[in-house]
Amino acid sequence: MNYHKVFFKPGDILVEVAEGSTLKEAMNDAGLEFDFLCGGGGTCGKCRVKISEGLTTPVTREQEMLQMKELDEGIRLACMTTVHNDVTVSLPNQKKLQHNILIASDERSFQIEPQLHKVFVEVDKPSRETQNSDWCRLKESLVKRGYKDSELESTISILRQMPDVLRGSNNRITAVMYNSKVAGIEPEDTTKTMLGMAFDIGTTTIVGYLLDLYSGKELSVVSTLNPQTTFGADVISRLTFASHEENGLIKLQSAVIESINKLIIEAVEKASVTRGQIYGVSFAANTCMHHIFLGINPQSIAVAPYVPALSEPLVLDASELKISINQAGKVFMLPNIAGFVGADTVAVLLATELDRSEDIKLVIDIGTNGEIALGSREKMVACSAAAGPAFEGAQISSGMRGAVGAIDHVYYRDKLEYSVIGGGEPLGVCGSALLDTVAGLVELGIVNKRGKILAYEQLTNPVARRFKENLIQHEGQGAFVLAEASTTGHGRPIMITQSDIRELQMAKGAMAAGVRVLIETYGIQIQDIKEVLLAGAFGNYLNPHSACVIGLIPLELESKIKMIGNAAGTGSKLALLSSNEFRRSKDIAEYVKFVELGSYPRFNSIFGECTYFNIQ
Amino acid sequence: MNYHKVFFKPGDILVEVAEGSTLKEAMNDAGLEFDFLCGGGGTCGKCRVKISEGLTTPVTREQEMLQMKELDEGIRLACMTTVHNDVTVSLPNQKKLQHNILIASDERSFQIEPQLHKVFVEVDKPSRETQNSDWCRLKESLVKRGYKDSELESTISILRQMPDVLRGSNNRITAVMYNSKVAGIEPEDTTKTMLGMAFDIGTTTIVGYLLDLYSGKELSVVSTLNPQTTFGADVISRLTFASHEENGLIKLQSAVIESINKLIIEAVEKASVTRGQIYGVSFAANTCMHHIFLGINPQSIAVAPYVPALSEPLVLDASELKISINQAGKVFMLPNIAGFVGADTVAVLLATELDRSEDIKLVIDIGTNGEIALGSREKMVACSAAAGPAFEGAQISSGMRGAVGAIDHVYYRDKLEYSVIGGGEPLGVCGSALLDTVAGLVELGIVNKRGKILAYEQLTNPVARRFKENLIQHEGQGAFVLAEASTTGHGRPIMITQSDIRELQMAKGAMAAGVRVLIETYGIQIQDIKEVLLAGAFGNYLNPHSACVIGLIPLELESKIKMIGNAAGTGSKLALLSSNEFRRSKDIAEYVKFVELGSYPRFNSIFGECTYFNIQ
């Protein structure tokens, strides 16, 4: 087989790939983190790259996605273009590859009580007369420290290390205990240090917090794009990849574990500690990410009745998952609730203490699948709403994720103003700007209750008439221009089209219907809700007023909205720092009543109503 | 590097080895089981082979071991001869390579109660409304069968199989349970079959019994030479190899595990079953073999205070040791007592029920290290006597193991008569014949109490004078010829020399001293012992009268001797078939008081007295 060189600029990264590989595969090999929104299906058109040297292959399906001018300039889609000779590829904007991730945590009082304990013991010296074994003498010294002999357990790996560790340290060792199990043994007294890492594996991003397990102090925070995005942007495309591609599950699992291990290295380097000092890692994730991380085929989640293989919390040896921490290290997996209400939701509930609240609260984590929970210490209900990827900028004509270059907020002043993430020329709109734009259009009467963009002539609000220039016809439909071609980073205009508004209506309709069904199921009125907690990256970026204007959240609740940041990460930390909190996560998962929207009576009509906008 | 062909006859086995390899290495590569008594050190001279074609390399140290006539015929030592061109090698006697292993079991009544249980369940179908996970529903069905929900455990491997197994079998599955742990899941109802294998890993041989775990029925028996003999004949040379050779421990462990896996295949083929039907394997072994099998460095056993790393019983997943049985399979390791009183002794005690006996019994397992136990339900004491390899034919001029061609019994009739294992011309003497020969010489007054072979002129017993022809001088010492050169398989005479008798005195003296010390420790008289149980291959072959005449066993006990065959194998079977018996093995190991002979007061003088023969 022939191999060709692919040279990526900026960054000057050179890889060799087999004849016929796609540029997407070459970017993978090069370790470039790039967000293939449609998973490489050639349908989102977001993976534009420029071939600056070398022959290109004939254009096929790409033609639909690219303009003639772009083709002339050598712009191609990385997922559709194959390599047949040495080429040099310019990436659109290296900064775009960096991700803007929300890292915030809520303060919450709890008792630190780590899952693992360290016990320093001086083991009796071996005796020729009794010839008591190493393990027998170690047990005796642990019994003196309060452990029960009949409950003490070991592993073959510990037994293999024991003779050398005991003799190398003059019988002075530290036992790392997980309940009554000796998880590790170390020479001398190492009881002073015990670190852990709490992770939140999102579909898009992975965040890790390095913590001191004694003080709870956060030593460093690291994050990265979930490398699985290469195989598909959303949960459904990953489920499909895991089930239908050869070794798909293993590829996805390896990618995330490799990424976790890199984050661990990064985190310990930042804090000037070592991986060997980490004894525990906890994980919050949605059910699909959870299963893939564990190497459990998630196919049953993909099809009705959407049942997970595992909901219960799980403790594993870190070595079983090839997580590179101390060899005694343990992995703590938070429990799931249902196929699309996962351990991340449980972590959010753990962090927000919904199960202990006297007041009824609504907790919303908006994403491709929005998870919604409603409840108090009396009762909790939860559901998952299939919002689709609109909030993440996918299927929106000028849409993009909340990365550098995205318009994130829009203001209707004398003229239209907007802010861009990272400053500079805009490249597209992200979900929060989509909300702002449409909310403004609704408030100005430019878009009616049913979501239709009215013609300029139909507008009655004098303020609305200021935006005459922004209202255009584009490819046979109405559109609202946010940025002219001359002001954007790629020379194409950024706009919201009628189709985009329809996409948003579907997305917000799904979320709003979920909220409505939970309220009905719970048997309360909207005004009984005392607080609305918005979790997750998107929840923290959106303008609450916009969310209420478009009816994503009931308008009555606008003043009760509180952003709580990455509550899933906070829940993951709690489970790591406190065995009591980890146990409580199990109770929460069992206690929450799952509501399956698809089976709910009248769901379709509720959804239909919820696609309307609130204000006319 | 150059490679050369080595062709072995009979058997027509061809292997290619690197330039400079020894013939021993070539034999290893060819998978030939050959007994290198000295471990390949060129000192025992037992690995004579004939180079029938091809050039031989210059003779070095071999000259000391080989006669000029042998060298002329192309006879060489396999361990000392290196390969520098293609050669054809004739092995002395292919039959000799087969081992004669004692396979016998004592009948003993016990309750069959397998360690693993199979439970057939019909798991509830998944529901879209509750989305209860696969594991949750499996637990529910097990709770209906009496298991406690809070105690049920699983493994990541089971969780990974679960979605496919459940969906592939319409939710009808068999759970393989180890206590409250789900060790395996299988589609449909497989509760009818559950097999297991009980092993006894001896220093020299490995025996395996394939059993039906429900009926206890023995389906087949297999055995092989312990492949570790290639690395050293006895425990001490293996300990040295494990500690000092690069990857020595791993080599020894891999060899025995590979061998176990071959035996498993052989056993299931004999019984027309499959490996997948085997769910449990139990192991009895001496402490060194036990540690090596588990991959635990046995070095601490080799040096004072001779302490094992592990004495306690152990249960592992078969997969952790790469034992190829059902993936749910478990390994059950019997416990050890001390560095040289191992799980094999515990197995013997389990089989003989010493701990339940009203009468005081003496149990002896004779080998390089003889294990001796004395006791009853009141009290048990045990020790290990370093007899050395004389009983196994090593360090005896004409000695060999109890294999085909060995003289195994000697009778002083009108003339000297003997029997040969497998018939045919004799090749050497094994331990039991050594005992017979010397016992006869002692009874006839040819050898005195102190072990000296008297000159013909000194003999007073008229019967003794019949054997004038047998009494010769050999290399400056007295010797007793058993077979003239013309009657043996290799054309060399077979004899017992004065040095051989000295070796036997050391060996039997060690054993007899061990018995004496145990009796003293226990605080009884010899006549209080009601039964003497001889375990193991050698114990089953020896003539009890000879053993008593030479004082290996006190003469007063001759009528109380009973051979109990491979009691260690029987104990291993019991531990496999009954969780109760396995638990009892732990009690036995803790209950037995270990007596360390080296620390015993007056041990040297007791040993000195015990080297004498009983009758003059």
Side-chain angles (χ1 to χ4, degrees), chain A residues 362 364 515 519 526 547-548 551-558 561 614:
Chain A
L362 178 66
I364 304 183
V515 171
I519 289 171
I526 288 183
C548 291
L552 173 59
I553 297 166
L555 199 61
E556 299 94 313
L557 297 176
E558 186 179 333
I561 292 176
N614 278 348

Side-chain angles (χ1 to χ4, degrees), chain B residues 25-100:
Chain B
E25 287 161 349
M27 287 164 78
N28 263 352
D29 288 357
L32 290 168
E33 286 186 355
F34 197 89
D35 205 359
F36 293 93
L37 275 182
C38 71
T43 56
C44 75
K46 305 284 189 221
C47 63
R48 285 174 167 82
V49 296
K50 188 172 171 177
I51 314 286
S52 40
E53 284 180 50
L55 291 171
T56 54
T57 53
V59 177
T60 54
R61 276 174 49 200
E62 294 170 277
Q63 206 152 9
E64 297 167 24
M65 309 298 303
L66 297 169
Q67 296 169 18
M68 194 50 79
K69 202 185 88 192
E70 288 179 316
L71 287 169
D72 289 347
E73 286 172 5
I75 303 282
R76 302 294 294 268
L77 296 187
C79 69
M80 305 301 291
T81 308
T82 49
V83 177
H84 301 280
N85 43 55
D86 292 357
V87 288
T88 298
V89 177
S90 294
L91 300 172
N93 182 350
Q94 189 60 12
K95 270 171 84 186
K96 237 176 106 178
L97 298 178
Q98 271 200 327
H99 230 72
N100 199 32

